[in-house]
Amino acid sequence: MAEFTMELNDDQKQVRDWIHGFAADVIRPAAAEWDEREETPWPVIQEAAKVGIYSLDFYAQQFFDPTGLGIPMAMEELFWGDAGIALSIVGTGLAAIGVVANGTEEQIGTWIPQMYGTPDDVKVAAFCSSEPDAGSDVGSMRTRAVYDQAKDEWVLNGTKTWATNGGIANVHIVVAVVDPELGTKGHASFIVPPNTPGLSQGQKFKKHGIRASHTAEVVLEDVRVPGSCLLGGKEKLDERLARAHERAKAGGGERVKNAAMATFEASRPAVGAMAVGTARAAFEVALDYAKTRTQFGRPIIDNQGVAFQLADMRTSIDAARLLVWRASWMAVAGKPFTSAEGSMSKLFASEVAKKVTAQAVQILGGNGFTREYPVERMHRDSAIYTIFEGTSEIQRLVIARTLSGMPIR
């Protein structure tokens, strides 16, 4: 188990500086253009692939950092560059992680390379879970997967929404209900290969922020995938469903749900790190502006009203990072989240990002309200952090119920 430290080692610093350089030299100069275009920034993704940032190997190296700080450090630097482009770069990772976590070795070896493509022909992947009536309430999921034993195929029907890279992905990972009686325990994940008939893009959303990241509905109409595309395989699924039925009969369903919630808890610090990156970027712009903008014959940072805002902004950013790092270290060290520390980090960091970016706009005044300055975009982008990967309201519910010992449904 790695000892907790707040000092990055030399290797981590080297990786951090490398990612920061890419964010400063490649992502930031392209941010305004792709935000306006509201299109996937394929040239930037290609550049990320060429240098090794857009690859499973890169994320695996950060994930297996024994201190737990590799992923949050990488996320903070990329999202410091720009949230929309960064999400386009890391979005495939959501689908890849789903395959790595639940798939067989053969599935990992077959499908992960197809998710990323090559530096000369980059591809993206999509993880499709949310539905029009099933966002935070995953128990209301309606997409169904029915097994056709005669053909050894699964037939998928339903509509997914809010899917990053949905419809434009080379490979889609789709969560569907296979046993409605078991609620969330009756879900399974499926690989939908490229050009599978019946899968189509529905509405592409025109968003308030993170506009360089493609977000759309995915419609599944009698989509047939081979039995080999069930993540983990049929035998493993049947065993899991049988155990879930036995637990349900024995009244142990809530214990299983809480164990699943612990898995979600471990992923939330990464989103918190994204929020920290955006907040830090906005703070730096505001600080530089306050030191150079003069009013009444002196820099505006000399005014207590501005200086105190900047002090609070920096303090809250550092506090958010500490919560993210604590939760990330706890996850890799196997420490139980007895107080929902994962949700705490995501909740606090996302709220900090919204507040800090709003303060940055205020400090820049009229300039901050225009697209001539990046804080306007950062403020719009920050709104997503309190919504995806569980809204702030859901985070508070998880924290409160964890503290009280109440079941988390």
Side-chain angles (χ1 to χ4, degrees):
M1 182 179 70
E3 294 295 327
F4 180 76
T5 177
M6 291 185 288
E7 178 67 26
L8 299 178
N9 59 43
D10 289 341
D11 289 341
Q12 290 170 324
K13 290 177 181 177
Q14 185 176 8
V15 172
R16 179 199 62 191
D17 293 345
W18 170 52
I19 301 171
H20 183 83
F22 181 83
D25 298 339
V26 181
I27 293 178
R28 278 207 167 177
E33 175 187 352
W34 292 100
D35 176 73
E36 290 287 348
R37 292 174 63 167
E38 299 191 53
E39 296 175 358
T40 300
W42 293 107
V44 183
I45 298 175
Q46 186 174 40
E47 287 300 313
K50 287 180 178 178
V51 301
I53 290 177
Y54 185 70
S55 69
L56 181 65
D57 288 345
F58 169 75
Y59 294 108
Q61 290 173 12
Q62 304 317 309
F63 181 81
F64 289 112
D65 183 327
T67 69
L69 301 185
I71 288 293
M73 178 186 66
M75 294 300 104
E76 179 177 337
E77 295 304 328
L78 287 172
F79 281 74
W80 172 89
D82 176 68
I85 292 178
L87 192 57
S88 288
I89 292 172
V90 307
T92 292
L94 299 174
I97 289 170
V99 174
V100 171
N102 302 299
T104 64
E105 290 187 6
E106 182 178 357
Q107 288 171 332
I108 294 170
T110 299
W111 296 107
I112 295 297
Q114 295 188 51
M115 291 181 171
Y116 286 94
T118 67
D120 293 326
D121 184 23
V122 292
K123 306 293 185 182
V124 295
F127 183 76
C128 308
S129 178
S130 294
E131 298 184 0
D133 296 319
S136 299
D137 183 12
V138 294
S140 296
M141 187 177 295
R142 296 180 180 178
T143 298
R144 295 287 188 266
V146 178
Y147 185 56
D148 183 343
Q149 187 171 2
K151 295 184 177 180
D152 185 27
E153 292 179 339
W154 288 90
V155 185
L156 280 62
N157 281 282
T159 299
K160 295 296 182 178
T161 193
W162 310 122
T164 299
N165 298 329
I168 66 170
N170 198 46
V171 177
H172 291 76
I173 304 300
V174 177
V175 183
V177 178
V178 295
D179 191 332
E181 293 182 5
L182 292 174
T184 58
K185 297 293 99 184
H187 295 176
S189 297
F190 298 86
I191 302 162
V192 181
N195 303 314
T196 298
L199 184 147
S200 62
Q201 179 182 307
Q203 175 187 5
K204 178 188 175 182
F205 296 103
K206 295 182 71 67
K207 304 188 300 294
H208 176 65
I210 55 167
R211 302 198 303 192
S213 174
H214 177 97
T215 310
E217 291 180 332
V218 175
V219 180
L220 304 124
E221 297 178 311
D222 292 329
V223 172
R224 286 182 169 268
V225 298
S228 60
C229 286
L230 167 64
L231 281 178
K234 184 76 162 54
E235 183 178 348
K236 183 177 179 181
L237 172 65
D238 289 342
E239 292 175 355
R240 178 167 64 81
L241 295 178
R243 289 196 302 269
H245 277 291
E246 290 175 2
R247 289 193 182 104
K249 291 178 181 178
E254 290 300 339
R255 183 182 67 81
V256 177
K257 286 181 182 179
N258 287 338
M261 185 58 68
T263 301
F264 292 128
E265 276 287 286
S267 70
R268 285 173 174 153
V271 180
M274 298 174 187
V276 170
T278 299
R280 188 183 112 212
F283 164 77
E284 291 175 0
V285 174
L287 177 62
D288 289 343
Y289 187 87
K291 292 192 294 185
T292 57
R293 171 69 168 174
T294 58
Q295 290 287 281
F296 306 105
R298 59 179 181 173
I300 62 173
I301 197 171
D302 285 351
N303 297 314
Q304 198 174 75
V306 173
F308 281 13
Q309 280 195 77
L310 289 164
D312 288 343
M313 291 159 73
R314 176 57 189 268
T315 300
S316 62
I317 292 168
D318 282 12
R321 184 184 297 107
L322 288 173
L323 283 173
V324 167
W325 282 20
R326 179 185 69 169
S328 301
W329 172 80
M330 290 177 68
V332 77
K335 300 284 187 180
F337 287 144
T338 55
S339 299
E341 288 87 350
S343 284
M344 282 185 182
S345 69
K346 194 270 184 184
L347 169 66
F348 189 77
S350 61
E351 297 286 349
V352 163
K354 285 187 70 174
K355 183 176 181 180
V356 165
T357 55
Q359 288 175 305
V361 171
Q362 188 69 24
I363 289 172
L364 269 67
N367 286 328
F369 199 65
T370 71
R371 295 188 183 180
E372 296 299 315
Y373 288 79
V375 292
E376 180 272 340
R377 184 181 67 252
M378 295 168 184
H379 183 44
R380 286 188 286 107
D381 290 343
S382 69
I384 194 60
Y385 298 125
T386 60
I387 298 173
F388 72 176
E389 193 74 14
T391 64
S392 288
E393 292 73 24
I394 289 294
Q395 307 307 320
R396 291 186 173 97
L397 182 65
V398 170
I399 295 166
R401 288 186 169 175
T402 301
L403 295 174
S404 67
M406 294 173 62
I408 302 172
R409 293 184 172 86

